[in-house]
Amino acid sequence: MGITHGDINGIGYETLLKTFEDPRMGEICTPVVYGSAKIASYYRKAMNLPEVKFTQVSSPSETDPAGERVYMINVVPEDTRIEPGQSTPEGGAAALEALRRAVADLRDGEIDVLVTCPINKHAIHGENFDFPGHTEFLQAELGDGRDKAMMIMCAEGLRVALVTIHDPLKDVASKVTRESVARALEAFSSSLVKDFGIHSPRIAVLSLNPHAGDGGVIGSEDSEIIAPAIEDASKKKVLAFGPYASDGLFGSGSYRKFDGILAMYHDQGLTPFKLLAGENGVNFTAGLKYVRTSPDHGTAYDIAGKGVADPQSLREAIYAAMDIYRNRLREEEATANPLRKQNFDRGSDRVPREREPKESN
């Protein structure tokens, strides 16, 4: 399991150290942290945390799956400056170097899954990273040109996917099209089956406008775009329902009746999700042939280095990555050799046997 350290000035190292101070974590996976042993030591001493012994390696191939150790691949210069709580170019460069190295190893099969600690988009953004976030970067690096990465926020009993991700609100309406909604529904349904092991999943679709447009009084997108998209997806055996007003669906608790919720834009889906999931939320990048998860929080500069960060979301991201990886293996095994379709004789309720060749006289 590859784990990137994220922004070195955020809470990434604190959550890493608190996660792996529990020796049982090394029993359920082989963790390979892409970061810096020196920076880890700095944060451990600054917050007086229990020591986590990192075994330094230069490649995941040097790890021992039976060793129950936590491994570290140093990817940043020794003199990298640490400024807890600050957005700095050095912090962004360190985050990007860890991410690039881990993604390369994931692509090459050196690691099975990737868990990323939070980055600061301002710090990391530049000529070498012209993306709104992890999701878009991973699509560019790991997609085959046809894959479309999808952000799914998941927790126990709650999964929220997005049609648009890191788009300014003023651009959302133009990107919510009949095609984009139908495509997102198909991708979401496929992920719920393959990645979460939920067969025939039921998906609630949120409206774009308040009160689902109130019959066109507050916008026509819900009746003219989203509803037809639901019909299009239903023709492809996707069990989709709606559109529902977000406040009503979540406020009434009706979201519990569904296996997934499809939101039209970032805050519409993530605000209720984070409120309901708390520290147990995970960000999963679906739609790619590689598994990547992340905690559902950011760098939290305001508490960086203070020793008060909760590592639970990182733990959940690790558990989710393992579960999704295993679910995919099970799904591949179950569908590897499908039964050949048989035709029934008209008027008969029996499946015909293969005809044996007639003996020649």
Side-chain angles (χ1 to χ4, degrees), residues 4-12 83 85-96 99 116-126 129 131-134 294 297-302:
T4 59
H5 63 179
D7 191 298
I8 61 173
N9 297 320
I11 62 172
E83 298 182 63
Q86 301 298 316
S87 173
T88 67
E90 278 189 292
L96 180 57
L99 183 59
T116 59
C117 286
I119 59 174
N120 178 274
K121 295 176 180 60
H122 175 74
I124 200 173
H125 200 270
F129 190 94
F131 302 94
H134 273 119
S294 177
H297 55 71
T299 54
Y301 283 154
D302 57 323

Side-chain angles (χ1 to χ4, degrees), residues 297-334:
H297 55 71
T299 54
Y301 283 154
D302 57 323
I303 60 171
K306 297 180 180 179
V308 297
D310 191 330
Q312 187 59 33
S313 187
L314 177 58
R315 291 196 192 104
E316 294 294 338
I318 291 171
Y319 302 150
M322 291 189 293
D323 289 343
I324 292 168
Y325 181 76
R326 289 166 180 161
N327 284 338
R328 286 189 176 186
L329 292 179
R330 282 192 284 265
E331 184 68 16
E332 288 174 8
E333 182 179 1

Side-chain angles (χ1 to χ4, degrees), residues 50-85:
E51 183 177 3
V52 176
K53 293 183 179 180
F54 292 99
T55 301
Q56 297 188 45
V57 294
S58 59
S59 167
S61 62
E62 299 174 13
T63 63
D64 177 12
E68 299 181 1
R69 300 177 180 177
V70 182
Y71 295 89
M72 172 75 75
I73 296 178
N74 287 297
V75 297
V76 297
E78 285 286 308
D79 60 350
T80 298
R81 188 171 54 181
I82 308 165
E83 298 182 63

